[in-house]
Structures are given as structure tokens and as C-alpha cells.
Amino acid sequence: MKKIAVFTSGGDSPGMNACVRAVVRTAIFKGLEVYGIYRGYEGMIENDIKRMYTYSVSNIVQRGGTILKSARSTEFRTPEGRKKAYENLKAHGIEGLVAIGGDGTFTGAKIFYEEFGIPVVGCPGTIDNDIYGTDYTIGFDTAVNTALDAIDKIRDTAAAHDRIFFIEVMGRDAGFIAVESGIGSGAEFVMVPETATDLDAVVKSLKNLRKTKTSSIIVVAEGDDEGSAEVIMNKVKDKIKDKKKEFKVTTLGHIQRGGNPTARDRVLASRCGMAAVEGLLEGKFACMAGIMNQEVVYTPFGDCIGKEKPLIQDHLKLIEYLSI
Ligand code: F6P
């Protein structure tokens, strides 16, 4: 293998740049030619592919977003789109790929490998942390810290006004951001898609609020089974029927996707990027390079996207025990 390419795809996450940097520099260190594909699979189809050098990735390790840009490609879902992408790679002589992204990215990479035999190794880049085969995904730690900072600020005003806040965090169908930002901020309740939400228990506790605490923070994962933070707040408000209690909703939204990556994310991203290039050179294809228990682990794409990654049970206990 002499020429490889790297791309970022799906929702961007802080640390993707550090990962691109690690891929480019490791590849060059190993004597490979390396290319950057812009806008993920979209750029692969449109031939938006450029050679990268050591200096192409200077001064990016600390930056959020992705210098290669990202997209969610619908054309790549079609056989015609994938054929175009393959032809472009072939024209450049690209013999291996590093795909940085989440489950959508790996689903595409798996099909692409099966159809055209292009060797590809993935790096887990998503704030959601919902990928099996790695303890943490690139960007998760930064997103949790961003959410935590916002929740701390909301706590100040919630306490000042004796208000009940429902704060919605991202995570798609997973509750990892909600759980860790909830523990870190001392939230009274955390609602996640992985466990059934007991609204009656919340109502009961909020009715007794003034006996113990005067304000409350409820972190809601966007994929919760009872609905969005706003929907849940309205359900709870209707059940409580107490005009003196004030309810507010804050949706944190895309601020969770931006910002300078934390040290944890930069190190994780750099390790995964290096491991992806090493994996390609060692013939480990159609798999993701992740970190589990401090060690690099290569997990087949089928498992990364097909196997469930459970929440840490101790985390759920912490929320239950500490929020009384
Ligand atoms: O997968 C990352 C993520 O930020 C999810 O948490 C969220 O549900 C989704 O992407 C939002 O996607 P978009 O930026 O396309 O609206």
C-alpha cells in the first residue's frame, strides 16, 4: 500500500482535526502518500480529493470542527454513487481509506469494502459515544464538558429563582452525554432512551420539592422515550398543577458539537488516527480502531454498528443515589 486517503463524515465532533493530523503524519512517517477527501462520501463522489502534506495539518490539533469538512451523503447510499466514488479513488491510485465518523460512516464503509474491496479502517468520531468497540468516541468528552459548563450556569439562575429546568442534550438514540453531564452537574433527574422514564416518580419528587430543595435540574437526552425536553416539561407541568412552580426548558443543541477539544479527546483522536494507519498497513480491513481499557482494539464494522453499547450501570446508580 503506497497511497491512502482520509475523510470525515456524518456529524462533526471536536477532535476530528487531531485525528486527521495523526493519520496524515503517521502515513507520511511510514512513507505513504496521503490524500484528504473533502465533505466525506459526497467529496469522494465529486472527486474533491487533494494531496496532503505534513504542513497541511499544522495548527489544527486544538481546533473543533473538521478542516476536511463533513456531510451526510444520500448519493453514496445508491450503487451508482458508490461506483462513482470508487472510480475517483481508482483514478488517484488510492489503495486504502481512513474513515472518521460514526455509525452512518461505518455502514457506508462496510458496504463499500464489500462491493469494491477497498481496504478501510475507521476511527470513532461522534459526540454521541454510541459506537461499540471503543470505551469513548472522539468528541464525547468535549461535548460532555460543554454541556456541563452550560448546566452549571443554568443551575445558578435556577437556584436564584427557585425554578425547575428541563435541559435537553444531544446523543441521538443514546444517553451517554445526558448521563455524564447529569452526574457531573449533580442533576436531580436524568432521562435517557436506554431506560423507561418514570414521569410519576419525577412528579412525586417535584411536588415535594420545597421540603428538600427549591430548584431542580432535569437533564433529558434528546432521544428519550417520553419525548423532547419541552414535551416532557409540559407533561410534568400538567400533572403537577401547581401555578407557583415555575418551569423552564433549555435545549443546548449544536454548541455541544463545537469548541476546542479537551486533552482527552486530542489524545484519543491521535491514538485512533495512528492506529488506523498502522491497521491498514497490517491488513486489518473493514474494522474500526478504538481504545478499550487503554489498549488499541480493532473491531469489525459489523459489530461497531450492530452491537449495542450499554450505559455503565454504576453511572445509573450514581444518579439514583446522589440525586436525593
Ligand atoms: O450524531 C451527532 C449528533 O450531534 C446527534 O447528537 C444529533 O442527534 C445529530 O447529530 C444532529 O445532526 P445534525 O447536525 O445533522 O442536525
Side-chain angles (χ1 to χ4, degrees), residues 4 9 27-28 70 76 106 116 137-139 172 176 185 209 230 233 244 247 253 260 286 297 301 313 317 323:
I4 66 162
S9 164
I28 292 170
S70 194
F76 195 77
F106 298 159
F116 298 101
T137 56
I138 299 160
R172 205 180 287 274
F176 292 98
S185 63
L209 195 59
E230 179 146 25
M233 181 201 72
K244 283 197 206 119
F247 295 86
N260 298 350
V297 178
F301 282 144
Q313 285 307 305
K317 266 196 340 198
S323 65

Side-chain angles (χ1 to χ4, degrees), residues 11-12 72 126-128 170-172 177 222 254 257:
D12 65 324
R72 299 189 200 275
T126 167
I127 62 166
D128 299 338
M170 279 188 168
R172 205 180 287 274
I177 298 178
E222 63 178 349
H254 285 79
R257 286 252 293 268

Side-chain angles (χ1 to χ4, degrees), residues 282-301:
E282 288 162 17
K284 295 189 172 77
F285 306 150
C287 61
M288 179 194 78
I291 307 288
M292 293 176 91
N293 296 322
Q294 306 296 337
E295 299 290 337
V296 171
V297 178
Y298 296 93
T299 305
F301 282 144

